């Protein structure tokens, strides 16, 4: 048997450079680049190997380990999960900084390969720098924190152990039902150890991304449920996008007349102007979709996991006889809500279901009803977008309105946390299948800027917008330096309202009186003044190398956004909006969210909030 003498790290990099996915006859490189920050735990192993194979494995330099994972996740989502990035770190804090990003990847079913360094397998010195000592277990390291947030985890304590572990890692990354974060912990001595590797390990290997079809019995049951329903509603989730099932969903909706509401991950499954698109559903949804959900006698979930935001904490689907059909590639999600499960790829399932229905359509009166509700909501969006004067300071929805008039189908919007996801979900008029990129499975502050870099790498030439509030900007601005270094022309829009507007509004609604949610001076007597802190985030972005455009009015904002969109260098638009003590101005969704309120309290605000909480809880139900 022919062999090749390489270190473990060199063998891993050479192996990764020859892995591919294939779906629908199209091949994609599985690991297209490796992000890395180097320290003593990986510089002489993976670092040297990346240098050795620089022509085969592109290297991307990051500034923060969590941010590198966010960038890799943004890339994978934009690449339809068919291509991914690896992330390498040293041991210690570099490794533990991966945990948040890994959780985000796994919750959102997005592939990323994590390669943290680890302490010595041979233990020549114990402990080493940055080692966590666990008195009751000698084989535990900080990398074990990655186990619960990884879809696959292994520690490579011998070179030859890499062979099965690498194969398992690729299998999971390419599995449409099981994908997420995959971790191969690499002890620093094993990384540098030489071994005679079989040449077959380095052969090109193609991992086919499966499209399972629905079984006959499940399909028949779904057909019976759909034909018996008078007010069916489709809930489109992220699985529609992962499967590239948007065209199949459009055809299905056009053929049946069933309205389509979308989760955060599913928004854009239909373009906003499709007759069957009734907008966002749930706590951040439209009144149109939520009114239809309350009266639906059948809910068809396509690629959704039914988070509490989607179900309004189990209060939304209120019809006494409502039933569910769930089309999902995972049996775990397909069985939720006591549904009739249709375990299949979203595209395959929709095509088979459409054919089996044989031209069945909803009653004409139902179609007319939701068309009228849709038109009324569109008028409310237009009103929220339209300022009274071009010389006024914009509200948050008016910032979105200014952007709405500028963008086309090629533009991609990225957001994750704060009050913006709610406004975007309700208001944004999605023009293309991949324009709307809101990470709401983990809703991770600090995701937007690094994810924008990853998206831009996967979609070169397309305008990529990272929309961030001041709170989320302060969490993770460091990858601006990476964008500047690599001249990746992302567009960052900072909406400054001097505090945590989203959590401030929630705090007020649950009787906590906005405590600790604004940035204010502390006077010498320890009381807070009403003045915002003199923090200049625009100057901060500029100090990191971005070109910065300041907008004071609606007119300024339109000009700045247009200039940023045309820019060929990383550009920031900075605009002050409402303060953190005011609401965003978007119309209400008419859907609840369960955040438990203090059962006993002396303050009037909390007592009243508890009364409202008890009233809402009474409407909650379990679907059995």
């Amino acid at each position: 048997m022919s062999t090749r003498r390489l270190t473990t790290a060199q063998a891993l990099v050479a192996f990764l450079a020859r892995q591919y996915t294939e779906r629908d006859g199209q091949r994609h490189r599985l690991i297209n680049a490796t992000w890395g920050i180097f320290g003593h735990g990986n510089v002489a192993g993976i670092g040297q190997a990346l240098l050795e194979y620089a022509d085969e494995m592109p290297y991307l330099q990051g500034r923060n380990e969590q941010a590198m994972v966010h960038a890799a996740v943004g890339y994978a989502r934009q690449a339809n999960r068919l291509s991914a990035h690896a992330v390498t770190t040293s041991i210690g804090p570099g490794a533990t900084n991966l945990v948040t990003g890994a959780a985000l990847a796994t919750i959102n079913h997005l592939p990323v390969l994590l390669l943290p360094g680890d302490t010595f397998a041979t233990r020549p010195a114990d402990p080493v720098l940055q080692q966590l000592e666990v008195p009751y277990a000698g084989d535990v390291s900080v990398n074990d924190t990655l186990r619960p947030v990884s879809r696959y985890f292994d520690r490579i304590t011998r070179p030859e152990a890499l062979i099965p572990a690498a194969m398992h890692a690729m299998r999971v990354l390419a599995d449409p039902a099981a994908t997420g974060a995959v971790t191969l912990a690499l002890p620093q001595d094993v990384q540098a150890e030489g071994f005679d590797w079989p040449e077959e390990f380095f052969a090109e290997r193609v991992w086919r991304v499966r499209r399972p079809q629905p079984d006959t019995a499940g399909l028949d049951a779904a057909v019976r449920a759909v034909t018996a329903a008078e007010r069916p509603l489709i809930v489109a989730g992220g699985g529609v996008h992962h499967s590239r099932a948007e065209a199949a969903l459009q055809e299905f909706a056009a053929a049946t007349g069933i309205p389509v509401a979308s989760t955060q991950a599913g928004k854009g499954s239909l373009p906003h102007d499709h007759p069957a698109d009734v907008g966002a559903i749930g706590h951040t949804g439209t009144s149109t979709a939520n009114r239809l959900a309350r009266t639906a006698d059948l809910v068809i979930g396509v690629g959704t996991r039914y988070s509490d935001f989607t179900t309004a904490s189990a209060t939304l689907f209120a019809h006494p006889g409502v039933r569910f059909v769930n089309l999902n590639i995972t049996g775990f999600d397909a069985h939720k809500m006591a549904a009739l499960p249709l375990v299949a790829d979203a595209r395959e399932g929709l095509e088979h279901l459409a054919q089996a229905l044989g031209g069945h359509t909803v009653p004409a009166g139902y179609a007319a009803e939701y068309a009228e509700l849709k038109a009324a909501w569109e008028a409310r969006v237009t009103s929220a977008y339209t300022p009274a004067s071009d010389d006024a300071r914009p509200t948050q929805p008016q910032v979105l309105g200014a952007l709405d008039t500028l963008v086309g189908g090629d533009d991609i919007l990225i957001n994750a946390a704060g009050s913006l996801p709610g406004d975007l979900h309700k208001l944004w008029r999605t023009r293309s299948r991949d324009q709307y990129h809101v990470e709401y499975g983990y809703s991770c502050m600090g995701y937007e800027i690094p994810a924008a870099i990853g998206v831009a790498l996967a979609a070169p030439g397309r305008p990529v917008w990272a929309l961030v509030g001041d709170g989320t900007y302060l969490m993770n601005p460091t990858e601006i330096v990476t964008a500047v270094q690599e001249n990746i022309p992302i567009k960052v829009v900072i909406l400054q309202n001097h505090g945590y507007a989203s959590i401030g509004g929630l705090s007020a609604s649950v009787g906590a009186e906005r405590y600790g949610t604004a940035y204010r001076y502390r006077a010498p007597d320890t009381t807070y003044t009403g003045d915002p802190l003199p923090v200049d985030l625009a100057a901060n972005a500029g100090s990191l190398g971005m070109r910065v455009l300041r907008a004071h009015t609606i007119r300024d904002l339109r000009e700045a956004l247009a200039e940023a969109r045309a820019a060929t260098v990383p550009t920031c638009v900075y605009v002050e909006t409402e303060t953190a003590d005011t609401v965003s101005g978007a119309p209400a969704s008419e859907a609840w969210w369960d955040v438990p309120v203090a059962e006993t309290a002396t303050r009037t605000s909390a007592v009243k909030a508890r009364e409202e909480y008890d009233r809402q809880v009474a409407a909650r139900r379990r679907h059995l």
Side-chain angles (χ1 to χ4, degrees), residues 114 116 272 275 433 441 445 574 590 615:
L114 307 179
H272 77 94
R433 62 163 297 275
M445 296 179 74
Y574 174 87
E590 302 177 13
R615 186 183 72 82

Side-chain angles (χ1 to χ4, degrees), residues 259-304:
V260 177
S262 59
T263 69
Q264 283 279 15
K267 190 173 173 73
S269 295
L270 295 184
H272 77 94
D273 54 358
H274 190 285
D277 180 68
V278 293
I281 193 168
H283 180 63
T284 53
T286 69
S287 61
T288 299
N290 288 340
R291 289 177 188 178
L292 293 172
R294 287 190 177 92
T295 60
D297 57 359
L298 179 70
V299 178
I300 306 169
V302 183
T304 179

Side-chain angles (χ1 to χ4, degrees), residues 292-299 306-308 310-324 336-339 592 594 613-624:
L292 293 172
R294 287 190 177 92
T295 60
D297 57 359
L298 179 70
V299 178
Y306 289 106
S307 76
D308 64 339
T310 299
T311 67
S313 297
T315 64
L316 187 57
F317 304 112
H319 189 286
V322 65
R323 303 302 294 172
F324 296 81
K336 289 178 178 176
M337 314 296 279
W592 183 62
D594 187 353
Y613 179 80
D614 289 339
R615 186 183 72 82
Q616 294 284 2
V617 164
R620 186 163 54 198
R621 63 185 289 195
R622 293 193 183 277
H623 296 282
L624 298 171

Side-chain angles (χ1 to χ4, degrees), residues 399-546:
V399 173
L400 301 182
L403 194 57
D404 176 78
T405 63
L406 177 70
V407 303
D410 279 350
D411 292 72
I412 302 169
L413 273 64
I414 299 171
N415 186 242
S419 57
L420 269 167
D423 287 358
L424 284 162
H425 197 205
K426 284 187 277 192
L427 303 176
W428 187 255
R429 291 165 169 162
T430 311
R431 293 157 173 79
S432 63
R433 62 163 297 275
D434 62 352
Q435 181 178 78
Y436 189 85
H437 184 132
V438 173
E439 187 285 301
Y440 216 59
Y442 208 43
S443 188
C444 185
M445 296 179 74
Y447 171 80
E448 295 89 343
I449 293 172
I453 294 172
V455 170
L457 291 172
R462 294 180 62 178
V464 178
W465 302 84
L467 307 182
V468 298
D470 46 298
T472 195
Y473 177 86
L474 287 167
M475 288 279 185
N476 202 4
T478 55
E479 296 314 304
I480 285 175
V481 178
T482 300
V484 170
Q485 174 176 297
E486 302 297 331
N487 195 28
I488 301 171
I490 61 172
K491 297 90 172 60
V492 176
V493 180
I494 302 175
L495 292 86
Q496 169 67 281
N497 58 25
H498 301 287
Y500 301 105
S502 175
I503 202 67
L506 176 62
S507 172
S509 71
V510 298
E513 302 176 34
R514 298 184 180 272
Y515 184 73
T517 62
Y519 311 145
R520 296 289 184 265
Y521 280 119
R522 185 189 289 273
D525 61 0
T526 75
T527 61
Y528 286 101
T529 71
D531 300 320
L533 291 172
V535 175
D536 190 341
L537 301 183
N540 178 264
S543 74
L544 296 177
M546 283 203 106

Side-chain angles (χ1 to χ4, degrees), residues 219 247-248 251-252 327 345-356:
L219 187 62
E251 292 173 8
F252 184 86
L327 168 57
D345 171 79
R347 191 189 74 181
E348 293 294 312
L350 285 168
E351 290 177 350
H352 279 74
L353 187 56
Q355 183 177 5

